[in-house]
Amino acid sequence: MADITEGRTCGIQWLADWGEWFAGLTFARGIGPEELAARLGAVPGVRPGPLGAPAAWSMVTETADGDGVARVGSWGGWSFAVEHGLPAGAERLAEVSRAGVEAVHLDPQPDHPPKQFAYARDGELVCCFGLGEECWRGGHRPDFLLPELVAAGLLGPDGSNPGPDDEPDECRERRTLAVLEDRFGLALPRHLIADTPLPAYVTCTR
């Protein structure tokens, strides 16, 4: 499988301003795209071929073989999956991260905000929180990113939320995404989510 690494990296902060972000995103460092798809529950033998976003959404509504469609590739040292339908990364992140792999999941939650972040490593959910709700953190090490969140002015030293009540959601989300971008070195050009046909797999969370 080709490694899509040419061109200029662009981070992930743009997601905060993109009104068409409806698909879940799972990143993995330490495995290739095909293995990422397998760990997300790819249904054996079901390979619909390279799909763009519209075709992937159409397949989600038509297929009875799984819960979603994952389009996979690689960029900037991370494999990634664009998850249409039910995002398997939300349920399988610890499994994705087994055997020394790092995994990040971003879920836009368009029907039930806020957007969600989770990070796992070596088979363990390390930390998770909602964008804009960083004061409520979960995982085995909920304070894993606390120094970075405090330094960015998103949280007070005690982990409370010091931000102004009237800050637009997009502005705060962008600041949180900037922390994640810098801490993990995440980057993903918009065209890979929106326009580019990518190898696709039907996934099942069960």
Side-chain angles (χ1 to χ4, degrees), residues 81-165:
V82 185
E83 298 181 78
H84 305 266
L86 188 63
E91 300 292 334
R92 292 178 172 264
L93 201 64
E95 163 65 15
V96 169
S97 75
R98 62 180 168 80
V101 171
E102 290 184 275
V104 171
H105 183 66
L106 295 172
D107 190 340
Q109 290 284 328
D111 299 322
H112 187 64
K115 299 175 175 67
Q116 297 292 316
F117 154 80
Y119 170 66
R121 183 175 61 198
D122 203 19
E124 176 182 271
L125 177 62
V126 177
C127 67
C128 58
F129 51 76
L131 274 63
E133 295 183 350
E134 296 82 6
C135 56
W136 296 309
R137 301 175 299 280
H140 288 89
R141 297 176 58 191
D143 291 341
F144 179 75
L145 290 175
L146 184 59
E148 288 89 346
L149 294 169
V150 171
L154 290 157
L155 294 176
D158 62 351
S160 62
N161 183 352
D165 293 336

Side-chain angles (χ1 to χ4, degrees), residues 148-205:
E148 288 89 346
L149 294 169
V150 171
L154 290 157
L155 294 176
D158 62 351
S160 62
N161 183 352
D165 293 336
D166 60 350
E167 182 178 19
D169 290 344
E170 293 81 1
C171 293
R172 185 175 181 87
E173 289 172 3
R174 191 182 308 110
R175 293 200 290 141
T176 301
L177 289 168
V179 169
L180 304 180
E181 177 183 302
D182 291 343
R183 176 63 178 81
F184 299 111
L186 294 174
L188 189 61
R190 183 181 304 189
H191 69 83
L192 289 181
I193 298 177
D195 304 318
T196 304
L198 295 169
Y201 298 79
V202 173
T203 58
C204 181
T205 61

